[in-house]
Amino acid sequence: MATRVLQRAGRGLQHTTRGLQTSGQVPAVARSLSGFREDSWFKSLFVRKVDPRKDAHSHLLAKKEDNNLYKIQFHNVKPECLDAYNELCEDVLPSIHGDPEYPCELVGTWNTWYGEQDQAVHLWRYRGGYPALTEVMNKLRQNKKFMDYRNERGKMLLSRRNQLLLEFSFWNEPVPRPGPNIYELRSYQLRPGTMIEWGNYWARAIEIRQQNQEAVGGFFSQIGSLYTVHHLWAYKDLQSRENIRNAAWQRDGWDEVVYYTVPLIQHMESRIMIPMKTSPLK
């Protein structure tokens, strides 16, 4: 079958070649068509062998020196309840963050300024991975103040979702910083199977974007929406953001990173966020 297909293709290419020569076109075109016949048809008939991956991308990309797990929460609040929701969070969340009985930390808590409106974003760190997450969840079920908070919060929300994340080994760990700042959360939905490529390019790209200390943290999802990447950036204001991002294009290698990573993305989203009063990231 494959032989007959190639024979038909060869006859068609011969007719095309004779037509081009009759019309006076350069013989190089014929050579090009001949090369197309030899390369493209054989490539389409045989499947390229891909070596199987020997390890999960989470093992290859995550930090080895610690065992941190992150949880990001997106809460869509009823517009008329946003102020009350913020006050409720500011009353309860810092008490969990500051209690040594809970092996977790509130990294940051924000309201979305540009992007999806009337939204709160909370980022938690669990030192100790999944066991720490389970321990916190079990203890919170016994915490009356938290359970009251959760019941009251439920009356204020339109929807909520969360993800469990690991941090990329080449990003800094998020640490408290002085303010005031605005924060940008850039979220990328990657094509399945491309996380390793993304990590390889961004391991070099982050060096370009560290000069102004705007890089806060980089994470990839483990549970929730998969093949999702979140990059968290801090800027003094929107004009600083514009200046810093434009300056990146003047540095060697940034254009290459953008060129090669854009095809890996299925969907991307940018949120500009304002820290809540009690957020450790100001």
Side-chain angles (χ1 to χ4, degrees):
M1 175 63 181
T3 302
R4 288 199 301 272
V5 172
L6 287 171
Q7 288 172 345
R8 289 194 202 104
R11 288 195 295 269
L13 286 168
Q14 289 171 0
H15 293 320
T16 303
T17 303
R18 285 195 294 270
L20 289 170
Q21 291 173 335
T22 302
S23 63
Q25 294 193 32
V26 186
V29 177
R31 291 196 298 271
S32 175
L33 288 168
S34 176
F36 173 85
R37 177 182 62 193
E38 294 173 2
D39 295 338
S40 300
W41 278 92
F42 275 103
K43 287 179 181 178
S44 67
L45 292 172
F46 299 100
V47 177
R48 183 172 60 89
K49 184 179 183 297
V50 178
D51 292 331
R53 185 173 296 156
K54 302 299 184 182
D55 206 350
H57 69 248
S58 58
H59 293 164
L60 298 173
L61 295 173
K63 291 184 178 179
K64 304 293 192 299
E65 63 272 18
D66 54 36
N67 191 24
N68 291 340
L69 179 70
Y70 289 81
K71 179 172 70 176
I72 191 166
Q73 299 172 298
F74 299 96
H75 290 173
N76 293 317
V77 186
K78 296 176 182 177
E80 67 273 16
C81 297
L82 187 60
D83 290 340
Y85 170 89
N86 287 346
E87 291 176 7
L88 187 64
C89 291
E90 290 163 3
D91 180 48
V92 176
L93 300 188
S95 65
I96 300 171
H97 168 79
D99 190 336
E101 292 296 315
Y102 296 95
C104 66
E105 303 159 358
L106 183 63
V107 176
T109 180
W110 303 269
N111 288 132
T112 300
W113 183 22
Y114 288 102
E116 195 160 355
Q117 296 294 281
D118 304 309
Q119 185 181 72
V121 181
H122 310 294
L123 181 63
W124 294 88
R125 180 194 294 120
Y126 297 86
R127 296 199 182 272
Y130 292 105
L133 172 67
T134 301
E135 180 183 347
V136 170
M137 290 173 59
N138 290 335
K139 286 183 175 179
L140 287 176
R141 291 192 186 100
Q142 310 303 318
N143 184 325
K144 184 179 184 305
K145 184 176 183 180
F146 176 80
M147 296 305 291
D148 290 343
Y149 152 80
R150 194 172 72 168
N151 290 335
E152 190 65 25
R153 182 190 69 186
K155 303 172 186 176
M156 303 178 182
L157 299 183
L158 293 169
S159 65
R160 60 192 178 99
R161 63 184 177 91
N162 58 26
Q163 291 176 310
L164 294 180
L165 315 169
L166 295 177
E167 58 185 329
F168 285 110
S169 60
F170 46 85
W171 279 74
N172 297 330
E173 181 177 289
V175 294
R177 61 173 61 202
N181 294 292
I182 62 171
Y183 288 81
E184 181 175 18
L185 183 67
R186 296 180 71 86
S187 302
Y188 305 88
Q189 186 68 47
L190 304 185
R191 292 190 293 107
T194 61
M195 188 67 73
I196 298 296
E197 291 179 73
W198 182 272
N200 286 338
Y201 285 114
W202 269 95
R204 298 192 297 272
I206 196 63
E207 298 179 7
I208 302 173
R209 293 297 305 273
Q210 287 282 23
Q211 295 188 13
N212 295 285
Q213 304 300 314
E214 72 267 26
V216 178
F219 313 92
F220 58 98
S221 62
Q222 287 293 283
I223 296 179
S225 179
L226 298 179
Y227 285 97
T228 301
V229 170
H230 299 290
H231 291 174
L232 184 62
W233 309 90
Y235 304 99
K236 289 301 178 184
D237 50 41
L238 288 174
Q239 186 59 55
S240 300
R241 171 187 176 274
E242 181 75 1
N243 295 341
I244 290 171
R245 288 177 56 80
N246 286 340
W249 289 95
Q250 309 308 314
R251 302 188 187 118
D252 289 341
W254 180 250
D255 56 343
E256 181 181 351
V257 169
V258 174
Y259 179 83
Y260 284 109
T261 55
V262 165
L264 309 181
I265 301 170
Q266 288 185 322
H267 176 75
M268 60 187 296
E269 183 177 5
S270 170
R271 292 175 177 84
I272 301 297
M273 309 184 301
I274 304 297
M276 292 188 189
K277 293 178 182 177
T278 53
S279 176
L281 288 172
K282 303 296 185 184

